[in-house]
Amino acid sequence: MVAFEAVTKRFGRAADEAQFTALDGVGLSVSRGAITGIIGRSGAGKSTLIRLVNGLEKATSGNVLVDGVEVGGLSETGLRDLRRQVGMIFQHFNLLSSRTAFDNVALPLEIAGLSREAIRQKVAPLLDLVGLGDKADRYPAELSGGQKQRVGIARALATSPKLLLSDEATSALDPETTHSILELLKRINAELGLTVLLITHEMEVVKTIATDVAVIDRGRIVEAGRTFDVFTLPKHETTRALLSSSLGVKLPEWVRSGLQPQPLPGGRVMVRLIFFGATAFQPLTARLVSEIGTGVNIMAGTIDEIAGEPFGSLVVSYSSDTAVIQRAEQFYTETGLTREVLGYVA
C-alpha cells in the first residue's frame, strides 16, 4: 500500500552548513490492510516520514509510493486526488470551533463539491460509526477530548480513503479515552479494510493496536517487522531502550548495577525467559527446576499481551557453573523456550 524506497529528506539549502538530514535512506513497506506503527524518540524523523505520504513534504531523493503512485512526481491536481484517498487525524484534533460536529465532518465533502443531500447521507452514518450520532449539532467546545478526536476520525473517513494516517492522535488523551479511540481504530480497520499508518512515542499504543511496527532512529529505520516479534525479541539497542519501561520485567537498579558480562567464580547467571506461542501455557519453569536443580530463584515476572497475542516474561537466576548452564541450554533447545542472558552476579 505504501512504500518508501531509499528516501532521504533534508531541510535547508545544499550549500548551507546548517542543513539538516531528517530522513536518511529510509526503506519501508506498509502492507495493505495492516495497522503499522512508527515509533521513535522526539526528533527521530517520525513526523517527516508521515508528511511525505500525503505530499505535505517532498523527498530530497528516493521515492514514496502510495498504491503504486509516486507522490513526489504528482502535480497539484494529482496531490488533491491523492489526499482524497489519504485521511489524516491529528494530535490536537484541528477542528473548526465555529462549525458543529456535523459540519466539521462535512468540510472535505463541501470542498469536493458534493450537494448538501449527498453530504448528509455521507456524514450521518460516519457520526454513527464513531459513536456520535447524537452529537451532530454540538460544537467542539461542547465535546470532550475523546469526542473531538472521534469527530476528527469521522472527518478523515469522509472521502472514503484507502489509507488513514495518524499523527500522535492519542497523546493528548487520558488512558481510558486513549483505549476507546484505539478500539475504534481497530474496528474501522477490520470493518472497512482501511490501511492505517500511525506515528507515536507511546509504546502502549503500538503494543495494543499495531500489527506491524518500524523503529526509527536519527532518520533511519533500525528495526521493522511484526509487532509481536519486534517487541518480544528486540534486536536494536534503540528498540530495547524504547521498550525498557513499558514491556517485560524491569529489574531494580541495585540488581542491574551488579550485573557483569562474564561469569564470576561461584556466582550465578541472570536469565530472562520469554513465553509465547507454544510455550505460553506450559509449566516450563517447574520443569527447568527439576532439570537443573532446586537452586533456581525467581527474581521477577509479568504477563502481557502484544497485538492480541499472549506474552510472558520471567527473570530467574541459577548457578553459573558450566555443567548447570549446559543442562539449562539443552532444556531451552528441547522445549523451544526463548531465553536472554542478562548478565552474571556474584
Side-chain angles (χ1 to χ4, degrees):
M1 180 66 189
V2 182
F4 299 88
E5 299 176 343
V7 172
T8 294
K9 173 61 180 178
R10 299 187 180 94
F11 292 96
R13 294 176 300 177
D16 190 350
E17 292 183 1
Q19 189 181 47
F20 173 68
T21 301
L23 298 173
D24 188 5
V26 168
L28 179 67
S29 294
V30 177
S31 300
R32 188 180 304 276
I35 302 178
T36 300
I38 309 293
I39 59 174
R41 300 182 178 96
S42 296
K46 302 188 300 295
S47 294
T48 301
L49 189 70
I50 207 169
R51 288 169 64 86
L52 291 174
V53 177
N54 58 6
L56 293 177
E57 297 286 354
K58 186 173 181 179
T60 304
S61 62
N63 299 313
V64 180
L65 305 173
V66 177
D67 212 15
V69 176
E70 208 284 297
V71 177
L74 292 175
S75 63
E76 283 300 318
T77 300
L79 280 174
R80 283 196 296 271
D81 291 339
L82 171 74
R83 288 166 184 159
R84 292 191 189 100
Q85 301 176 47
V86 180
M88 190 160 185
I89 53 178
F90 304 89
Q91 177 180 0
H92 297 296
F93 321 128
N94 288 12
L95 302 180
L96 297 178
S97 60
S98 60
R99 296 175 71 100
T100 63
F102 183 99
D103 290 334
N104 266 284
V105 178
L107 182 60
L109 300 174
E110 293 175 5
I111 294 173
L114 272 68
S115 68
R116 190 64 184 173
E117 177 58 23
I119 290 174
R120 187 190 65 78
Q121 292 180 7
K122 185 78 173 179
V123 172
L126 285 174
L127 287 173
D128 287 337
L129 176 66
V130 299
L132 293 178
D134 60 340
K135 300 290 192 296
D137 296 328
R138 299 290 181 87
Y139 289 88
E142 301 174 280
L143 301 174
S144 68
Q147 290 170 335
K148 290 175 185 177
Q149 194 57 283
R150 287 172 181 268
V151 174
I153 292 171
R155 180 185 57 191
L157 299 176
T159 57
S160 301
K162 301 176 182 177
L163 173 67
L164 181 64
L165 306 179
S166 171
D167 186 0
E168 299 280 8
T170 59
S171 60
L173 305 175
D174 62 77
E176 184 177 355
T177 305
T178 293
H179 177 75
S180 69
I181 294 298
L182 295 180
E183 287 300 312
L184 174 61
L185 290 177
K186 286 168 68 175
R187 184 159 61 88
I188 288 170
N189 167 257
E191 293 181 3
L192 304 182
L194 196 64
T195 304
V196 180
L197 177 61
L198 61 91
I199 63 170
T200 182
H201 64 277
E202 298 174 286
M203 302 303 104
E204 196 68 27
V205 169
V206 176
K207 186 175 72 172
T208 300
I209 191 175
T211 55
D212 301 273
V213 66
V215 183
I216 188 168
D217 183 41
R218 300 176 186 178
R220 293 175 177 266
I221 299 295
V222 296
E223 192 162 358
R226 290 179 66 239
T227 301
F228 190 85
D229 297 337
V230 172
F231 273 44
T232 54
L233 291 172
K235 295 180 175 62
H236 196 275
E237 60 182 19
T238 299
T239 313
R240 294 194 189 101
L242 290 170
L243 296 175
S244 62
S245 62
S246 63
L247 189 68
V249 179
K250 186 175 182 180
L251 293 173
E253 177 59 30
W254 67 269
V255 175
R256 288 190 292 114
S257 62
L259 291 176
Q260 302 296 319
Q262 298 297 328
L264 301 169
R268 300 175 68 81
V269 60
M270 195 85 68
V271 178
R272 175 181 176 232
L273 305 178
I274 302 168
F275 301 86
F276 58 87
T279 65
F281 303 104
Q282 297 181 30
L284 294 179
T285 308
R287 288 177 56 189
L288 174 64
V289 172
S290 65
E291 185 68 28
I292 68 174
T294 57
V296 177
N297 288 341
I298 296 177
M299 309 298 294
T302 186
I303 298 174
D304 213 328
E305 187 177 275
I306 302 171
E309 297 183 51
F311 165 75
S313 182
L314 188 70
V315 175
V316 300
S317 73
Y318 47 83
S319 171
S320 58
D321 178 80
T322 301
V324 173
I325 288 180
Q326 287 177 346
R327 290 201 301 271
E329 291 298 320
Q330 183 177 353
F331 174 78
Y332 301 144
T333 300
E334 292 173 353
T335 60
L337 182 59
T338 302
R339 64 95 180 95
E340 176 188 8
V341 174
L342 302 178
Y344 300 85
V345 294

